[in-house]
Amino acid sequence: MKLLIVDDEVIIRTGLSTVIKWEELGYELLRPAASAEEALERITLERPEIILTDIRMTGRDGLELAGEARRLLPDSEVLILTGYDQFSYAQQAIRQGVSDYLLKTSRPDEIIRAVNGAKQRVLGRLHTLKPDQLRDSLLEKLVSGREPDGRLLEQAGKLLPGLKLEAACPLQAVTVTASGWGGAAEDGRLLLFAVHNMMRELIEGEALIRDNVLLVILRLDGLLADGAGLKRFESDLLRIERRLKCKLFAGAGSIVPDWRGLPLSNKEAAVALGFKELAGEARWLCYADVIGRKGGRTVCTIEEEQLLTALLKEGDPSSLQRWVEATTQALLADPDATPQSMQAFVNSVLISAHRWIERVLASFGEGSQRAGLPPNSEQAAVSDDQRLRMLAPLNHLMDVYAEAVGNAGIPYINRSIAYIHDHLDKELTLQQVARNVHLNPNHFSEVFKRETGHTYIEFVTIARIERAKALLGDSPIKVSDVASRVGYADMKYFSQLFKRYTGFTPSEYRARS
């Protein structure tokens, strides 16, 4: 059983570690911690069953450590050791779930007796668990790296016969998700329980429900050739799918020689499971299949931005959905794509769309708060399906644009303003814009000045300078590239014009941003 001593006084923690022969008493003494902060960083990895801590320390005190430790390790026991014999401390300690309260003047035999009492309470809780609960608790310890002591390992050998813990036996961790019984959380839990029950009947190994997934430990003795273990497991998945009318997907870690390698295989299985969306029609992916991926595209191109804004202005949800589907499929087909690169690309698309709608609303004289995400965007944002993450917000922005144009006093002027903002990198004559909104150029020029307060040329120049200011402040691209992106091929002319409107050259403006 693991014991962690925590004290900011080196003499105390060294004395407690050396005066008492903890190993001879059956304890694994972890390296002592010099602060509550250090202890909290380590306990989730080292998972001590007993923590013996000082109450007064620099930084967080022992009572705070006790409260956090009981939250992170609910099965642990915390003993407080202090030089302050005050009842108020004892009261606080009890409220934090401390199991015993000792003075630093306590004799070694008193400290040993208190620690032994904590050990018996830990073991007692295990004995009061039902067999299935104890089995799950032991399996959880094995896969999370919390190696049980000899007594618990003996119990695990009896309760987890599928793992053959008493001998070297190749094992493999596989994490399984299940869907198809409806979107409600309760439906998902019921399905996972049903899959768990069937899985235990079919596999050579053990299974555990944890964190809304099913963790399966496959025993592969005699099944290592040509991936025979996973092939048989895939056939088990198919049988369960047919029987329960559901959809299963599995991420598999590497094969390890015995139960001591399960924490690593378990972590690898979780990584493989994260590539679920990239698996196509496959029922499972191995860690070895995905670890070499470098990541696909993370930023949408200017051409993609222009096509997207055209679709948003068009106002046809079907066309927008087809674009999202095609874009997502192209990303999925990239052999280097990862969940992280997929998410980064989706974020790039949404940022581009939001910046566009904010420019449109600003040109209409409206606040940008209407461009916020739709009410269900948080649900879409955590979806595994990147198409859902894109489609819901983009449909919302399409509606915002349609509403803004529809509410405008003179819709064709607002459409022309939106057209100007979308084509600042190209030649923009008054005749061209008037033709786009189907008006006579002279009439358009008169109405445009009356509605905007600027002549057409003034408006386009101001729009280009404002776009250039944004590019200079938000991106590291060259000043010549900024000029090109706002429609100026002559770098010298662009710099002169920029200084006339802002009082600074482009380089000076960037340095001030």
Side-chain angles (χ1 to χ4, degrees):
M1 187 164 290
K2 296 179 182 178
L3 169 66
L4 175 64
I5 294 171
V6 186
D7 200 303
D8 61 350
E9 296 183 50
V10 63
I11 295 177
I12 299 297
R13 63 176 181 269
T14 301
L16 288 171
S17 301
T18 56
V19 170
I20 300 173
K21 306 301 181 184
W22 294 108
E23 289 78 6
E24 295 178 7
L25 296 172
Y27 296 96
E28 177 187 346
L29 182 63
L30 301 174
R31 177 173 57 84
S35 67
E37 288 80 5
E38 178 189 345
L40 289 172
E41 287 179 2
R42 291 169 48 193
I43 61 175
T44 53
L45 295 174
E46 300 178 11
R47 309 191 77 86
E49 282 85 4
I50 301 173
I51 299 172
L52 179 59
T53 178
D54 187 11
I55 201 169
R56 279 284 185 91
M57 294 182 288
T58 303
R60 303 181 74 173
D61 63 27
L63 296 180
E64 292 179 277
L65 170 59
E68 281 294 294
R70 293 305 302 272
R71 183 180 65 82
L72 296 170
L73 302 175
D75 293 331
S76 65
E77 290 281 320
V78 181
L79 309 180
I80 288 291
L81 187 67
T82 182
Y84 296 85
D85 187 11
Q86 297 179 10
F87 183 65
S88 60
Y89 280 114
Q91 287 180 311
Q92 292 181 56
I94 291 169
R95 284 196 293 269
Q96 294 293 347
V98 171
S99 57
D100 213 335
Y101 182 87
L102 298 167
L103 296 177
K104 287 187 177 180
T105 54
S106 299
R107 298 189 308 274
D109 63 304
E110 292 175 324
I111 297 174
I112 292 172
R113 188 160 52 249
V115 172
N116 283 341
K119 177 179 180 179
Q120 291 305 314
R121 287 190 291 275
V122 172
L123 296 175
R125 281 195 291 272
L126 286 176
H127 286 303
T128 59
L129 293 175
K130 296 179 180 179
D132 281 349
Q133 292 175 315
L134 181 56
R135 173 192 161 279
D136 288 350
S137 176
L138 292 170
L139 187 55
E140 176 70 37
K141 285 179 180 291
L142 293 179
V143 299
S144 61
R146 295 149 57 190
E147 183 176 337
D149 60 22
R151 184 173 180 179
L152 293 180
L153 192 57
E154 183 180 350
Q155 286 181 299
K158 298 175 182 176
L159 290 167
L160 303 170
L163 300 188
K164 288 189 175 179
L165 299 179
E166 71 283 358
C169 176
L171 303 170
Q172 185 173 26
V174 183
T175 305
V176 181
T177 61
S179 59
W181 276 19
E186 186 62 29
D187 294 333
R189 285 192 292 270
L190 289 173
L191 174 56
L192 204 58
F193 280 120
V195 174
H196 176 254
N197 290 336
M198 284 196 67
M199 193 71 72
R200 290 183 63 183
E201 295 177 2
L202 293 173
I203 66 167
E204 294 291 335
E206 300 288 347
L208 170 70
I209 293 177
R210 65 198 304 254
D211 300 330
N212 296 319
V213 297
L214 180 64
L215 175 63
V216 180
I217 308 299
L218 298 177
R219 193 179 77 220
L220 301 174
D221 46 334
L223 294 172
L224 294 179
D226 300 322
L230 275 181
K231 288 179 181 177
R232 188 171 77 177
F233 183 68
E234 184 176 19
S235 68
D236 292 336
L237 292 179
L238 182 58
R239 289 179 62 184
I240 294 173
E241 283 185 342
R242 289 172 176 170
R243 178 78 174 274
L244 298 179
K245 294 180 173 57
C246 66
K247 179 69 175 177
L248 303 179
F249 180 79
S254 57
I255 298 172
V256 293
D258 57 35
W259 60 271
R260 293 175 181 82
L262 284 178
L264 173 62
S265 186
N266 176 43
K267 290 179 181 178
E268 293 175 346
V271 172
L273 187 69
F275 284 76
K276 175 183 175 182
E277 189 182 353
L278 303 172
E281 295 302 314
R283 283 186 173 81
W284 53 269
L285 279 176
C286 286
Y287 178 74
D289 299 329
V290 301
I291 190 57
R293 294 196 177 207
K294 301 175 182 178
R297 287 200 304 137
T298 58
V299 179
C300 61
T301 64
I302 294 177
E303 292 74 21
E304 285 171 327
E305 286 186 26
Q306 292 173 341
L307 177 55
L308 174 59
T309 54
L311 290 169
L312 293 174
K313 289 191 294 183
E314 181 183 331
D316 181 5
S318 298
S319 297
L320 180 63
Q321 182 171 352
R322 285 193 293 271
W323 180 84
V324 169
E325 293 278 353
T327 302
T328 307
Q329 287 303 317
L331 293 173
L332 293 173
D334 184 346
D336 273 331
T338 65
Q340 293 76 21
S341 66
M342 286 278 292
Q343 183 171 339
F345 182 87
V346 170
N347 290 341
S348 172
V349 169
L350 296 180
I351 289 171
S352 297
H354 273 80
R355 286 178 176 171
W356 170 77
I357 198 67
E358 286 173 356
R359 291 196 299 268
V360 170
L361 294 179
S363 67
F364 289 177
E366 300 185 23
S368 62
Q369 68 273 11
R370 291 173 55 195
L373 293 177
N376 63 343
S377 64
E378 290 187 7
Q379 182 177 357
V382 298
S383 171
D384 289 335
D385 191 337
Q386 302 294 351
R387 287 165 293 187
L388 294 179
R389 292 197 63 237
M390 274 198 284
L391 197 55
L394 292 179
N395 273 319
H396 172 69
L397 296 181
M398 179 186 287
D399 293 340
V400 170
Y401 175 78
E403 182 184 354
V405 172
N407 289 339
I410 303 180
Y412 62 78
I413 293 297
N414 288 328
R415 290 201 305 273
S416 69
I417 291 173
Y419 181 86
I420 289 169
H421 281 290
D422 287 343
H423 295 82
L424 289 175
D425 60 329
K426 298 178 175 61
E427 184 179 359
L428 272 173
T429 65
L430 182 145
Q431 290 77 12
Q432 174 187 346
V433 178
R435 185 168 57 250
N436 181 262
V437 294
H438 310 293
L439 286 178
N440 174 277
N442 291 331
H443 175 67
F444 171 74
S445 177
E446 293 175 4
V447 178
F448 189 89
K449 183 176 181 180
R450 185 175 69 243
E451 291 297 314
T452 66
H454 297 283
T455 66
Y456 174 78
I457 294 299
E458 288 173 343
F459 186 92
V460 171
T461 302
I462 292 170
R464 283 175 164 159
I465 296 301
E466 289 300 318
R467 178 72 62 81
K469 286 164 64 178
L471 289 171
L472 288 168
D474 295 343
S475 66
I477 62 176
K478 297 178 181 178
V479 174
S480 58
D481 291 333
V482 171
S484 177
R485 289 197 182 191
V486 295
Y488 295 106
D490 187 333
M491 175 64 187
K492 183 177 180 180
Y493 175 69
F494 166 69
S495 295
Q496 292 172 345
L497 197 62
F498 189 90
K499 185 169 184 178
R500 185 190 313 165
Y501 275 84
T502 67
F504 303 96
T505 66
S507 297
E508 289 171 343
Y509 182 85
R510 170 171 278 168
R512 294 176 70 254
S513 300

